Amino acid sequence: MAPVPSENGVEGDDEREEEEEGEEDEEEPRLKYQRMGGSVPSLLASDAASCIAVAERMIALGTHDGTVYILDFLGNQVKEFSAHAAVVNDLSFDIEGEYVGSCSDDGSVVINCLFIDEKLKFEYHRPMKAIAMDPDYARKASRRFVAGGLAGHLYFNTKKWLGYRNQVLHSGEGPIHAVKWRTSLVAWADDAGVKVYDTANDQRITFIERPRGSPRPELLLPHLVWQDDTLLVIGWGTSVKIASIRTNHNKAANGTYRQVSLSGLNQVDIVASFQTTYFISGIAPFGDTLVVLAYIPGEEDGEKEFSRTAPSRQGNAQRPEVRIVTWTNYELSTDALPVHGFEHYKAKDYSLAHAPFSGSSYAGGQWAAGDEPLYYIVSPKDVVIAKPRDTEDHIAWLLQHGWHEKALAAVESDQGPSELLDEVGSRYLDHLIVERKYAEAASLCPKLLRGSASAWERWVFHFAHLRQLPVLVPYMPTECPRLRDTVYEVALVALATNPSFHKDLLSTVKSWPSVIYSALHVISAIEPQLNTSSMTDSLKEALAELYVIDGQYEKAFSLYADLLKPELFDFIDKHNLHDAVRKKVVQLMMLDCKRAVPLLIQKRELIGPPEVVKQLLNARNKDDCRYFLHLYLHSLFEVNPHAAKDFHDMQVELYADYDPKMLLPFLRSSQHYTLEKAYEICIRRDLLRDQVFILGRMGNSKQALAIIINKLGDIEEAVEFVTMQHDDDLWEELIKQCLNKPEMVGILLEHTVGNLDPLYIVNKVPNGLEIPRLRDRLVKIITDYRTETSLRHGCNDILKADCVNLLIKYYKEARHGIYLSNEEDEVRPKRSDVHAPQVFERSPSLRTVEVKSKTIGGGRCCICFDPFSIQNVSVIVFFCCHAYHTTCLMDSSYTSSSDKDVEATSKEAETYDVYNGHVDDDGDDEEETNLGGPRMRCILCTTAAS
């Protein structure tokens, strides 16, 4: 920031700024200026300043009426000394700042103590122009000082045992104009030049001649300043010299100076020298450069008079300038000072003092290394303080000249306070907004606004007011800081209302966490744009994403379907949106027909074939949707041939267009298409075999046969077709069609074996008709006929043998008895467990026989005539429907007249049981042989037969 001017003054500026407005590379000032306030304005209202001196803790200001004022650094008066009766020409402090010495045109030198009531006055009876106190004045009892004036004598005053002693160090070369004391070196200037005296060695060190052509000293005073202990800066007229002085003593640790043996005399080197185009009213060091108080000569001062006369203008003088120059006279900056009454002042009316004494071996306290230097420019009615510009001044100057980027870099490099960064950032953003560089301003917001939620919200709404919020959205933070929900909603709505930023809206919705804003509010702002010209695909997808965030999955599905999103099918499965598929058949087909068709078939209870067909037929892209319709109907027909029977006529045409090879299988499998329409389609598509099939189904076999022979030329297919028709007249037609074609006659002869008598065809062949390979074909016919005849005889013999064998087996089975066990007894007594399962396996047939016995035998034993249900005894049933208790059959007198017969009967019964479970004999003899006896027979039937 630029410093605020004091109440009594204004900020010093360069008057030439107006002239340099057009320059692109304007140099930044090195110093900033401020009038000294406090008591100074009131003091100079009735008096005029003549000189100034600066100590470590205070300032001494001399005036024309002979008064010396002690001021603090803010300009407030601390003390006042009425030291002289005439103008004060020079002031000097010791290094401790306890004593101040002054000299005046009244011929006196006065030394005042600032802390006790001590005052020394020395009379020299001639105007005194310069004074310099020993830096160690307060420390040493010698109380030394040097002074000089118009008398031309340089007095070296020292306190002795009997009083003060004045020693004349130099005289005879004109008035003494300036004197400065540093360590043990005293430098002074007279009309001849500059001399340096070493008080430690009590000898003069060097002499530097006065610059040639410089104005007379009484018109333009020379200025001396020690930059450090060995560098003396001399500004005289228009000349600047810097002398490096080498002495033969060094300072000891206790502050005293000790001699150092050197060969030869002390030396001085002029390390820099240059001429200026202005008068030098004051000079001071500024680091490695110099601060020069410049007085600009007027236009009436010609170059010839420049070196000899001072300006004599009245009321038209220019402002004094403070220039910073290098030792090679390269000007780094130039500032014109708006001092009061500058129009009437001459070069000698200004003076310059500075603090601290940079590089001084005895600098301390406030003026330690690293403290900023201060410069005091004194004019009769004004005191201006100059000091180096700090970071805030540098940044303010950059902002003033529109170099906001450099200002921002300066703040960041200097690591200034956050308040300064906030202000620079705010001004930078304001500047970019004024320049309409909205995108650049938005890109800088993260760096300038950082973690301030309030600043972010303020700028978001500012961009929204300018209708430029879309450019800021990509840089808005979602955490650290997190803004209010309303801020994010405003940003999303701003993107939604501008079609140019719909893609940015989509990416923002995907990247921002859904918890930082209300999706429903944004949806409400976007939905009115549906079905309008401003609705873009990106906006649809963004709206779908918002629907998903808000849990409105069906609406999101509808938009995803319109956008043909690849992940649509996964979205359906994830959220179970099969009901929503009914309205988006076309979109699903266009997206991925291989996945859509199985889905539609699987959910045909929700969306039937009529609805699917309707949507596909009404689609805009007719060609693609007809193909999709073919795929759907084909897959549906494979799953259920009758599911889409109303569309089989359409399906015939679809097969003809997209998959002709599958048309014939469809025609053969379906019974729901119109033959006439299908035949017309096949004619248009020239599908011959399909025509043959349809004509055959229509009963027009002769026409179908004609197509096979005349168009297809496939006699084998013709023979197959005629064979399937089982029509003798059609054979006649086939023979008739082929008689005029020798090759077909030959092929027909090869395929008639088993269908027609080849001799019949040969007799039909006209005499003289040449048939290719007739002999070979006749040989093949005869061979095939013989083979066929042999096969038929063999098959007949086998058939007859099989009939006889089966009748014999049936007869034997009819003669066998069936053993029935009681249902309550799983195992018959005295029977092996091996046979039990086999008996139970035949239970169905046994129950059938039991029913028959109930019908014919009355369900009673044919021997004891007791019902089978009374006795818990197994039963034997014969196929003649007679049934016996096993015990009755075995104990009956009818079964045998001897024990041998009973044993035989028992064995026979056991043998019969084995037969039922395991044996399946081919003949009766073999059966009796294998089992050791005859089969059991019904007693009643056997008796009746016998």
Side-chain angles (χ1 to χ4, degrees):
M1 292 180 57
V4 179
S6 66
E7 295 179 359
N8 299 316
V10 297
E11 190 70 7
D13 297 317
D14 187 354
E15 183 178 303
R16 300 186 181 183
E17 287 182 0
E18 297 180 359
E19 299 178 1
E20 297 175 352
E21 285 180 355
E23 297 182 5
E24 296 181 358
D25 299 331
E26 181 180 355
E27 290 290 340
E28 179 183 358
R30 299 296 181 94
L31 301 173
K32 60 181 179 179
Y33 307 92
Q34 190 173 8
R35 285 191 176 91
M36 180 175 284
S39 304
V40 172
S42 61
L43 294 177
L44 299 183
S46 57
D47 201 350
S50 59
C51 59
I52 191 171
V54 183
E56 180 178 346
R57 290 168 288 181
M58 60 198 68
I59 299 170
L61 180 66
T63 63
H64 280 262
D65 66 356
T67 305
V68 176
Y69 296 99
I70 305 301
L71 310 172
D72 61 16
F73 286 99
L74 297 178
N76 300 311
Q77 180 177 336
V78 178
K79 283 191 177 184
E80 176 183 351
F81 300 106
S82 298
H84 304 281
V87 60
V88 178
N89 291 320
D90 196 10
L91 295 167
S92 177
F93 278 106
D94 68 329
I95 192 172
E96 300 294 336
E98 296 182 8
Y99 293 89
V100 60
S102 61
C103 63
S104 172
D105 280 350
D106 64 359
S108 65
V109 172
V110 177
I111 297 177
N112 286 287
C113 181
L114 302 180
F115 303 106
I116 60 175
D117 188 11
E118 179 183 349
K119 177 180 178 182
L120 297 175
K121 185 173 184 180
F122 301 90
E123 294 288 349
Y124 294 97
H125 309 292
R126 292 291 302 271
M128 301 298 289
K129 298 296 184 181
I131 182 175
M133 298 180 64
D134 183 356
D136 295 326
Y137 183 89
R139 299 176 183 176
K140 296 181 179 181
S142 60
R143 305 292 188 181
R144 297 181 299 178
F145 69 87
V146 292
L150 293 182
H153 300 295
L154 180 65
Y155 298 102
F156 183 49
N157 190 294
T158 307
K159 184 179 181 182
K160 300 294 183 180
W161 287 99
L162 301 176
Y164 288 90
R165 173 177 175 266
N166 279 321
Q167 176 186 357
V168 178
L169 293 181
H170 179 76
S171 64
E173 292 184 352
I176 305 299
H177 304 293
V179 60
K180 296 295 179 183
W181 193 333
R182 182 68 172 261
T183 62
S184 64
L185 301 179
V186 178
W188 71 92
D190 54 25
D191 289 347
V194 177
K195 288 88 173 176
V196 178
Y197 176 80
D198 188 354
T199 59
N201 296 327
D202 195 19
Q203 64 178 2
R204 192 169 68 181
I205 295 176
T206 187
F207 168 72
I208 302 172
E209 186 180 3
R210 168 187 169 184
R212 295 181 181 181
S214 60
R216 297 191 305 274
E218 61 269 16
L219 299 178
L220 189 58
L221 295 174
H223 300 278
L224 305 177
V225 60
W226 288 98
Q227 180 161 340
D228 58 26
D229 293 347
T230 59
L231 285 178
L232 178 64
V233 181
I234 305 168
W236 200 330
T238 60
S239 173
V240 175
K241 291 183 180 180
I242 301 176
S244 176
I245 299 172
R246 290 178 288 175
T247 61
N248 60 351
H249 62 84
N250 286 336
K251 190 174 182 181
N254 58 2
T256 61
Y257 295 91
R258 56 186 177 86
Q259 292 295 119
V260 178
S261 299
L262 293 176
S263 59
L265 297 177
N266 298 297
Q267 296 182 1
V268 61
D269 297 326
I270 304 300
V271 295
S273 176
F274 57 87
Q275 294 290 327
T276 66
T277 59
Y278 47 81
F279 292 156
I280 299 174
S281 295
I283 193 167
F286 183 60
D288 295 333
T289 59
L290 299 174
V291 173
V292 180
L293 179 59
Y295 184 90
I296 309 301
E299 296 179 357
E300 69 274 12
D301 295 325
E303 293 182 358
K304 294 180 180 179
E305 303 294 330
F306 176 76
S307 61
R308 296 190 303 271
T309 61
S312 60
R313 312 180 291 281
Q314 294 295 329
N316 59 353
Q318 298 186 33
R319 294 180 181 184
E321 293 181 353
V322 175
R323 300 193 179 192
I324 299 178
V325 298
T326 65
W327 289 6
T328 59
N329 198 26
Y330 177 76
E331 292 189 6
L332 299 178
S333 68
T334 301
D335 301 321
L337 303 182
V339 297
H340 297 309
F342 67 90
E343 300 91 345
H344 306 285
Y345 299 148
K346 299 179 181 180
K348 63 181 298 183
D349 294 327
Y350 297 103
S351 61
L352 173 66
H354 77 285
F357 304 112
S358 297
S360 173
S361 59
Y362 52 82
Q366 177 180 331
W367 308 128
D371 289 341
E372 63 177 5
L374 297 176
Y375 301 89
Y376 297 87
I377 299 97
V378 178
S379 67
K381 293 294 182 180
D382 222 345
V383 178
V384 177
I385 303 174
K387 58 182 177 180
R389 298 170 64 88
D390 56 16
T391 301
E392 293 186 6
D393 299 315
H394 173 61
I395 293 170
W397 186 84
L398 292 173
L399 293 176
Q400 180 183 355
H401 289 77
W403 295 334
H404 297 81
E405 188 173 356
K406 293 182 179 179
L408 179 61
V411 174
E412 293 176 341
S413 62
D414 192 60
Q415 297 181 351
S418 59
E419 296 79 6
L420 181 59
L421 179 59
D422 292 340
E423 181 175 352
V424 172
S426 179
R427 293 185 62 176
Y428 193 6
L429 292 177
D430 287 334
H431 167 72
L432 294 174
I433 294 298
V434 172
E435 296 291 328
R436 297 185 177 182
K437 298 178 180 180
Y438 304 112
E440 184 177 353
S443 65
L444 290 174
C445 281
K447 180 167 65 174
L448 301 179
L449 305 182
R450 294 167 294 151
S452 175
S454 59
W456 269 106
E457 292 177 0
R458 183 173 66 254
W459 278 101
V460 166
F461 287 114
H462 186 49
F463 272 79
H465 177 72
L466 297 172
R467 300 181 182 275
Q468 297 296 329
L469 186 54
V471 300
L472 180 62
V473 172
Y475 306 100
M476 289 176 59
T478 57
E479 58 181 12
C480 298
R482 177 176 171 180
L483 311 181
R484 290 179 293 168
D485 296 355
T486 307
V487 177
Y488 296 111
E489 293 163 10
V490 168
L492 294 175
V493 172
L495 294 175
T497 54
N498 191 334
S500 302
F501 295 97
H502 285 174
K503 291 183 179 180
D504 296 331
L505 172 64
L506 175 59
S507 61
T508 302
V509 170
K510 289 182 177 181
S511 61
W512 278 4
S514 59
V515 297
I516 66 175
Y517 62 91
S518 173
L520 187 60
H521 292 165
V522 185
I523 290 172
S524 301
I526 298 177
E527 282 181 339
Q529 299 186 58
L530 287 172
N531 302 321
T532 63
S533 58
S534 62
M535 194 66 179
T536 61
D537 289 346
S538 298
L539 184 58
K540 282 185 179 180
E541 187 174 353
L543 181 58
E545 295 286 342
L546 292 170
Y547 279 141
V548 172
I549 294 173
D550 198 47
Q552 304 183 46
Y553 299 115
E554 290 191 5
K555 291 184 177 180
F557 165 77
S558 179
L559 293 175
Y560 282 145
D562 293 339
L563 295 170
L564 303 179
K565 299 296 291 181
E567 61 273 13
L568 183 61
F569 291 96
D570 297 332
F571 187 77
I572 293 172
D573 296 335
K574 181 179 180 180
H575 300 289
N576 194 22
L577 299 174
H578 299 97
D579 292 344
V581 173
R582 289 178 293 182
K583 299 180 181 179
K584 299 296 180 181
V585 173
V586 176
Q587 290 85 343
L588 292 174
M589 285 291 195
M590 294 180 66
L591 181 60
D592 189 349
C593 60
K594 292 182 180 180
R595 297 185 66 178
V597 169
L599 177 63
L600 294 174
I601 293 175
Q602 181 183 1
K603 301 298 178 181
R604 59 181 179 275
E605 295 82 6
L606 297 175
I607 176 169
E611 181 64 24
V612 175
V613 173
K614 179 181 178 182
Q615 291 190 37
L616 291 175
L617 290 179
N618 294 333
R620 295 180 180 179
N621 194 339
K622 299 295 183 182
D623 293 337
D624 290 342
C625 289
R626 275 177 55 81
Y627 176 69
F628 297 148
L629 181 59
H630 160 68
L631 294 178
Y632 170 74
L633 292 176
H634 170 69
S635 300
L636 183 61
F637 183 78
E638 290 182 339
V639 175
N640 186 353
H642 306 289
K645 61 183 180 180
D646 296 337
F647 305 103
H648 282 196
D649 285 334
M650 181 189 302
Q651 201 166 355
V652 171
E653 186 175 1
L654 293 174
Y655 273 120
D657 290 340
Y658 299 105
D659 197 357
K661 294 181 180 180
M662 293 299 298
L663 177 57
L664 187 56
F666 173 76
L667 295 174
R668 289 173 177 170
S669 303
S670 175
Q671 302 294 329
H672 304 291
Y673 59 89
T674 305
L675 294 175
E676 291 78 7
K677 293 182 179 179
Y679 182 66
E680 292 177 1
I681 293 172
C682 293
I683 291 177
R684 289 199 302 268
R685 302 295 193 277
D686 197 23
L687 302 174
L688 299 178
R689 285 183 170 80
D690 303 276
Q691 294 179 35
V692 170
F693 175 79
I694 295 174
L695 288 173
R697 177 169 284 190
M698 293 171 65
N700 197 347
S701 302
K702 291 184 178 181
Q703 185 177 354
L705 183 60
I707 293 175
I708 295 174
I709 296 174
N710 298 325
K711 294 185 178 180
L712 292 176
D714 191 344
I715 190 63
E716 296 180 5
E717 184 174 348
V719 172
E720 181 181 357
F721 175 76
V722 173
T723 302
M724 292 176 60
Q725 299 300 319
H726 303 290
D727 188 353
D728 294 339
D729 294 338
L730 202 57
W731 280 108
E732 292 292 337
E733 182 66 23
L734 174 59
I735 296 171
K736 182 180 178 182
Q737 293 283 347
C738 295
L739 288 178
N740 298 326
K741 300 177 180 178
E743 183 62 31
M744 285 192 175
V745 172
I747 297 174
L748 183 61
L749 288 173
E750 293 179 356
H751 292 82
T752 53
V753 177
N755 296 313
L756 287 177
D757 187 0
L759 184 58
Y760 176 76
I761 298 175
V762 172
N763 292 332
K764 287 282 187 177
V765 174
N767 294 328
L769 182 64
E770 295 184 1
I771 299 174
R773 299 186 293 110
L774 178 59
R775 185 186 63 179
D776 296 338
R777 285 171 173 169
L778 290 176
V779 171
K780 184 177 182 302
I781 289 171
I782 294 171
T783 304
D784 291 344
Y785 185 77
R786 288 177 179 176
T787 302
E788 182 182 1
T789 302
S790 176
L791 289 173
R792 285 183 178 180
H793 286 304
C795 289
N796 288 333
D797 293 341
I798 294 172
L799 181 60
K800 291 177 181 180
D802 288 344
C803 289
V804 171
N805 292 333
L806 290 174
L807 287 173
I808 293 172
K809 185 174 182 180
Y810 174 74
Y811 172 73
K812 290 180 179 181
E813 289 291 339
R815 293 173 60 193
H816 293 169
I818 299 176
Y819 170 75
L820 297 177
S821 64
N822 194 322
E823 294 180 357
E824 297 179 359
D825 297 333
E826 294 181 359
V827 181
R828 206 179 84 182
K830 298 181 181 181
R831 289 281 300 165
S832 174
D833 293 340
V834 178
H835 307 297
Q838 299 161 354
V839 174
F840 291 127
E841 287 178 2
R842 297 180 180 269
S843 59
S845 61
L846 299 184
R847 285 194 294 270
T848 303
V849 175
E850 183 180 355
V851 173
K852 292 181 181 179
S853 67
K854 288 181 181 180
T855 304
I856 300 178
R860 298 175 181 272
C861 177
C862 293
I863 295 178
C864 66
F865 298 103
D866 290 336
F868 295 127
S869 59
I870 293 177
Q871 300 182 19
N872 189 13
V873 182
S874 298
V875 179
I876 294 178
V877 180
F878 294 91
F879 276 93
C880 57
C881 296
H882 295 134
Y884 308 91
H885 288 119
T886 304
T887 56
C888 294
L889 187 62
M890 295 178 64
D891 297 338
S892 175
S893 60
Y894 295 100
T895 56
S896 179
S897 57
S898 63
D899 295 337
K900 184 178 182 180
D901 293 337
V902 173
E903 183 179 355
T905 303
S906 178
K907 290 182 179 180
E908 187 177 291
E910 185 177 354
T911 304
Y912 179 77
D913 180 64
V914 174
Y915 170 79
N916 285 333
H918 299 281
V919 184
D920 186 11
D921 299 316
D922 293 335
D924 190 36
D925 297 337
E926 184 180 354
E927 179 183 338
E928 293 178 357
T929 303
N930 295 335
L931 298 178
R935 287 290 185 180
M936 183 183 291
R937 294 175 173 82
C938 177
I939 297 175
L940 294 179
C941 293
T942 304
T943 304
S946 61

